[in-house]
Amino acid sequence: MATKLQFFLVLILSCATLQISMAGDPDILSDFIVPPGFSSPIDGNFFTFTGMRALVNATFPTTFKVTKAAMAEFPALNGQSVSYAVLQFPNGTVNPPHTHPRASELLLLTMGSLEVGFVDTTNNLFTQTLQKGDIFVFPKGLVHFQFNSDANNPALAISAFGSANAGTVSVPNTVFNTTIDDQILALSFKTDVATIQKIKSGFSG
C-alpha cells in the first residue's frame, strides 16, 4: 500500500513539475512557424521587422507611447518566445500599473531617468530610480509601473519580453473602464458609488 501511495505521489509531483516547466510559450517542433495563408517567399524579409524605423529621427511624442514588436506586428516571432517594445516617456508621464500575464519584462533605459516598481504577491513594493544604461526586471504576471518624474526631460526605454505575445492588462483601465458594477467597485475600494462614477468618467471619451 505504501509503495502504491509513494508511486502516486511521485507521479503527481512529476506532473506538477512538467506543468511548471511548460508555463511559458509552448516549444515548437520546427525551426519557425509560417502563418497560415502566407504567400510570400520565406526569405530574410520574413525575419525582419522594420516598424521601429518610424521612431528614428522622429519628433518625440507628447504623451506616453509604446511601439511593439510582438507576434501581432511581427509574425515570425510565433514560437520564438521573445518580443520587444519601445517605450517613450515625455517629461512627467506614466505607464500606469499593469501586468503581463504571459511574460517577465526586462527593461533597458536608453535615455533619461525613470521611477519603476512592482508589487509582489505579498504586497511588497520594490522600486528603483533608473539612470541611462540601467536594466530592471519585472517578474512575470506582477503589477508594475514606470514613471518619468523629470519635469524637463523625456525618457526612452526598450523592453524585452519572454513571450511572443506577453499580453498587457492595464489595472486602471480594466477596473474602471469595463462594466464591473459600481456598487461592487465602491465596496471593493471602500468608497461610495459617486466617487467610482467620477473616476470612471475620466476614462470615457
Side-chain angles (χ1 to χ4, degrees), residues 63-113:
T63 58
F64 169 70
K65 181 181 178 184
V66 179
T67 305
K68 295 181 180 179
M71 195 169 71
E73 299 81 15
F74 189 11
L77 294 182
N78 189 6
Q80 303 304 318
S81 301
V82 292
S83 57
Y84 265 122
V86 174
L87 292 74
Q88 296 173 285
F89 296 84
N91 50 298
T93 57
V94 65
N95 187 4
H98 62 281
T99 70
H100 303 294
R102 293 182 288 276
S104 54
E105 175 181 358
L106 196 62
L107 181 143
L108 167 64
L109 187 62
T110 61
M111 182 175 76
S113 63

Side-chain angles (χ1 to χ4, degrees), residues 2-19:
T3 305
K4 287 184 178 180
L5 180 61
Q6 288 171 342
F7 174 77
F8 185 67
L9 289 174
V10 168
L11 184 63
I12 289 175
L13 287 172
S14 298
C15 290
T17 304
L18 180 62
Q19 284 297 107

Side-chain angles (χ1 to χ4, degrees), residues 176-196:
F176 295 108
N177 200 25
T178 57
T179 54
I180 298 175
D181 185 78
D182 291 348
Q183 184 67 34
I184 293 172
L185 292 177
L187 290 169
S188 300
F189 286 92
K190 303 186 187 308
T191 186
D192 53 71
V193 169
T195 300
I196 295 298

Side-chain angles (χ1 to χ4, degrees), residues 41-75:
I42 301 300
D43 56 18
N45 290 319
F46 178 72
F47 302 99
T48 303
F49 179 73
T50 61
M52 299 301 180
R53 290 181 184 177
L55 303 179
V56 179
N57 298 323
T59 303
F60 211 84
T62 56
T63 58
F64 169 70
K65 181 181 178 184
V66 179
T67 305
K68 295 181 180 179
M71 195 169 71
E73 299 81 15
F74 189 11

